[in-house]
């Protein structure tokens, strides 16, 4: 398998998110997760399986950090890709689903934004393939709190590194800025992959 490659940003700056903020986040932090995923995968290719141990072993450490780094890649790619739009109320399939599963766009948005305030890492609107329902997920780490079988549809990064340059401790203002930049077309494209 070829190494992962960092995907480029499709914008330089956004209303409420500066070029510096986005560049540090994308070019340094996200790119770092891509690099570390490749490094870990390289080491796993020759790791000692016989020495596997749940207290400490090279296999254990590499496997734990593999999901941290790889989910760091996937969540950041989801985040950057679902920004760059006009935000506000959506249209298309996601509009119907939010209405069906949350009652209205406004009710969903109120819960999603509150989840953003409650999370230390990520807030993810996900589609559970088994239950066939939408849910807002709160996680504190890339490899903690996700639900297996639930596909991320909209990803919000609430680590301080995502907003501190622009907003310092004003996290709520950052979450509001995120909502104004959601690319609902990207969200609908993800739903389409799920055969909606
Ligand atoms: Fe981030």
């Amino acid at each position: 398998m070829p190494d992962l490659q960092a995907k480029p940003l499709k914008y330089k700056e956004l209303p409420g998110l500066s070029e510096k903020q986005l560049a540090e986040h994308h070019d340094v932090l996200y790119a770092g997760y891509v690099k570390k995923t490749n490094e870990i995968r390289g080491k796993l290719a020759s790791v000692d399986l016989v020495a596997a141990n749940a207290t400490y072993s090279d296999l254990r450490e590499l496997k734990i950090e593999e999901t941290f780094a790889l989910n760091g890649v996937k969540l950041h790619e989801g985040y950057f890709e679902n920004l760059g739009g006009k935000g506000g109320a959506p249209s298309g399939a996601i509009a119907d689903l939010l209405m069906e599963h949350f009652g209205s766009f406004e009710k969903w948005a109120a819960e999603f934004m509150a989840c953003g305030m409650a999370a230390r890492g990520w807030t993810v609107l996900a589609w559970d393939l088994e239950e066939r329902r939408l849910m807002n997920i709160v996680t504190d780490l890339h490899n903690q709190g996700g639900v297996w079988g639930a596909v991320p549809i909209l990803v919000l990064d609430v680590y301080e590194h995502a907003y501190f340059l622009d907003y310092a401790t004003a996290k709520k203002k950052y979450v509001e800025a995120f909502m104004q930049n959601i690319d609902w077309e990207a969200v609908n494209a993800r739903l389409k992959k799920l055969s909606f």
Side-chain angles (χ1 to χ4, degrees):
M1 290 288 285
D3 276 358
L4 288 177
Q5 301 292 326
K7 293 181 179 169
L9 260 188
K10 60 184 178 182
Y11 42 76
K12 272 196 176 335
E13 60 182 323
L14 297 169
L17 284 168
S18 68
E19 184 173 349
K20 170 88 172 153
Q21 175 69 73
L22 288 165
E24 292 285 340
H25 197 182
H26 178 275
D27 301 350
V28 181
L29 289 162
Y30 158 64
Y33 290 124
V34 172
K35 203 171 148 213
K36 282 294 175 187
T37 299
N38 291 330
E39 183 183 333
I40 292 165
R41 284 176 168 176
K43 291 191 174 180
L44 279 168
S46 58
V47 71
D48 182 356
L49 298 178
V50 176
N53 180 284
T55 301
Y56 167 78
S57 58
D58 288 348
L59 178 64
R60 178 187 162 77
E61 302 311 311
L62 286 166
K63 277 291 174 191
I64 296 293
E65 304 311 348
E66 179 187 30
T67 55
F68 185 83
L70 182 58
N71 284 334
V73 172
K74 289 176 183 289
L75 287 163
H76 278 102
E77 288 181 352
Y79 170 77
F80 290 121
E81 188 189 65
N82 61 219
L83 285 173
K86 291 192 167 60
S91 57
I94 187 62
D96 297 340
L97 283 174
L98 291 177
M99 176 78 82
E100 182 184 340
H101 293 270
F102 290 89
S104 69
F105 164 73
E106 288 75 16
K107 282 184 184 166
W108 164 77
E111 184 185 301
F112 185 82
M113 292 172 75
C115 286
M117 295 305 294
R120 297 173 190 160
W122 301 94
T123 292
V124 177
L125 172 65
W127 176 257
D128 188 313
L129 292 165
E130 190 65 33
E131 285 198 84
R132 299 195 64 75
R133 70 186 280 267
L134 284 173
M135 68 181 292
N136 292 319
I137 296 174
V138 167
T139 87
D140 292 339
L141 293 170
H142 311 329
N143 57 353
Q144 169 274 322
V147 176
W148 289 350
V151 181
I153 300 298
L154 178 69
V155 180
L156 165 60
D157 188 341
V158 292
Y159 278 96
E160 286 172 351
H161 68 236
Y163 62 87
F164 213 78
L165 284 175
D166 284 343
Y167 292 95
T169 56
K171 185 181 184 185
K172 191 157 184 254
K173 285 200 175 349
Y174 159 69
V175 172
E176 287 166 359
F178 173 88
M179 300 299 285
Q180 294 306 311
N181 286 289
I182 294 173
D183 182 351
W184 290 113
E185 291 303 311
V187 172
N188 276 319
R190 288 175 191 161
L191 289 173
K192 211 168 180 183
K193 282 193 200 165
L194 301 175
S195 306
F196 279 98

